Amino acid sequence: MTAARIEPDAPAGPHRPPVRPREAVSGLLRRPMASYYLLLASSGLLLGLGLIMVLSASSIDSYATSGSAFTIFIKQLTFAVLGIPAFWLALRLPMRVWPMLGWPLVVLAVILLLLLPFLGKEVNDAKLWLAIGPIQIQPVEVAKLALVLWGSAVLVRKRPLLTEWRHLAVPLLVVSVVLFGLVGIEDFGGMVLLLFILIALLWTAGVRFRVFATLGAIAVVGLVPLIAGNPERISRLTSFTDPFAHQDQAGYQVVRGFYSLGTGGWFGLGLGQSREKWGGLPEAHNDFIFAIIGEELGVLGCLVVVVLFGALTYAGIRVATRVDDPFRRLVAAAGTVWLAGQALVNMGGVVGLLPITGVPLPLISAGGSSLVLTMFVVGMLASFARHEPEAVLALHARGRPWWMRWAGIPLPELPGRSRQALRSGRAGRPLGRPTHRTRTGGRR
């Protein structure tokens, strides 16, 4: 009698091929609310990492000046808490209000910049902060937001006339030159970021290439006197070419930043174990916090920061390409270039690829007005992400959850096309994609 051969059990269901990471990520990005959640995730992680690194980088300096290792951190945490209402305000502002904010912000920015020489607080031979009682703000941050909103509204209004120079020059270039001049007197890095914003606006609006060539020539001519008339800027440029030859003077901060980055290696010395923050590296919790990240968290920590900023930039550009309103498209593109360009200028200066300009690392460096305005801009981008056509359908299909009603965040307005798609049951499916049909016209 032979023993019966036991066959292995067959799988209960059909064989499922393993999910590849690339396909999984692609599937997540195809979801209607992908831009919104990617903005929240990347900016939230950057803010959390920034608070941790400000505490670590500022503890020694804070204890030496105030007797407590938490003074600067508590101040930064306070501004982060104040940034939450700014984010919430930007998230719930009606779309019709955004174009109206341009001119008031331009007027406010010009007034603040004109007051800066008289009421400004001088730090490192430059007046960048305006002290009004207990409140200190950086007028350049208001100027950036003003140029984004006002410039977008002007370009949308003059869209059919952008081929004519006089319509492009008045008032866009005139007001831009006024802002550049007032900012560039004290803050060269801020003026460079304003130039980035203007270029992003013109590029997104479809201005011809010869306009960029002309603006580039004008910018070079205008930058020369602003650099030549300031000895500190000249010393920064000369030390940029060979910082070790000027390590006792203008190149000191750059060289100490190199030492900080080089000490960390791949995995870093450990959180809180930086050596350069013990008085060796100036502005360790502010402009050069990226060097402390490299020292304590290593190359991997720096790569995490770069990836998070890359995700934030991708989400912002995705919003700019998917919204159907020209004004929102321009604002999203310019706001994204603002944040990405500022991060690039800061990190490029720390690693020696760009001259030092003194701009903070968004969401990470210590700084009150910069953090609050940055969170406002992120809230603005998140609001525009909720107004993508597919996102509008998905939000109306699911309704307002309790937390959205509690926070007072309204549903985005439903356009006529989206309303028809919602009624036909296409909510959450990309607009404009035809349904799969056979050649005979029947549905598969």
Side-chain angles (χ1 to χ4, degrees), residues 63 82 110-111 124 129 147 201 207 226 234 302-303 310 316 335 357 382 384-385 401 405 408 425-426 442:
Y63 184 82
L82 292 176
V110 171
I111 293 175
N124 297 328
W129 284 268
L147 184 58
L201 287 173
V207 176
L226 288 175
I234 296 177
C302 292
L303 288 177
T357 55
F384 292 174
R405 293 193 299 269
R426 294 180 59 201

Side-chain angles (χ1 to χ4, degrees), residues 165 168-169 173 195 198-199 202 207-222:
W165 266 100
L168 185 62
L173 296 185
L195 183 61
L198 180 61
I199 291 175
L202 297 176
V207 176
R208 295 181 179 181
F209 179 76
R210 68 170 181 265
V211 176
F212 286 97
T214 306
L215 288 177
I218 295 174
V220 171
V221 174

Side-chain angles (χ1 to χ4, degrees), residues 161-350:
L161 306 172
L162 292 182
T163 56
E164 302 181 23
W165 266 100
R166 61 188 182 92
H167 290 288
L168 185 62
V170 181
L172 180 64
L173 296 185
V174 174
V175 176
S176 300
V177 168
V178 171
L179 291 177
F180 290 172
L182 292 176
V183 171
I185 293 175
E186 296 289 345
D187 188 357
F188 184 79
M191 187 188 64
V192 171
L193 293 175
L194 287 176
L195 183 61
F196 285 175
I197 293 172
L198 180 61
I199 291 175
L201 287 173
L202 297 176
W203 179 271
T204 309
V207 176
R208 295 181 179 181
F209 179 76
R210 68 170 181 265
V211 176
F212 286 97
T214 306
L215 288 177
I218 295 174
V220 171
V221 174
L223 291 177
V224 170
L226 288 175
I227 296 175
N230 192 313
E232 182 182 356
R233 293 172 184 173
I234 296 177
S235 64
R236 285 186 177 184
L237 286 178
T238 55
S239 64
F240 166 69
T241 57
D242 189 3
F244 286 93
H246 305 82
Q247 59 180 323
D248 294 332
Q249 296 178 352
Y252 176 80
Q253 189 179 26
V254 180
V255 171
R256 302 311 302 187
F258 289 165
Y259 289 154
S260 182
L261 287 169
T263 305
W266 280 99
F267 302 102
L269 302 178
L271 189 62
Q273 302 301 315
S274 169
R275 301 166 186 169
E276 291 296 327
K277 69 182 181 183
W278 289 77
L281 178 62
E283 303 294 337
H285 60 283
N286 197 341
D287 299 344
F288 267 69
I289 196 170
F290 189 67
I292 302 299
I293 293 175
E295 185 178 6
E296 296 188 351
L297 304 182
V299 175
L300 295 181
C302 292
L303 288 177
V304 168
V305 174
V306 172
V307 169
L308 288 176
F309 275 113
L312 181 62
T313 304
Y314 170 79
I317 297 299
R318 175 187 165 99
V319 172
T321 57
R322 292 168 71 92
V323 292
D324 54 4
D325 180 70
F327 174 78
R328 297 174 210 167
R329 185 179 301 115
L330 288 172
V331 172
T336 303
V337 170
W338 166 4
L339 299 181
Q342 186 166 326
L344 179 64
V345 170
N346 178 276
M347 293 186 290
V350 172

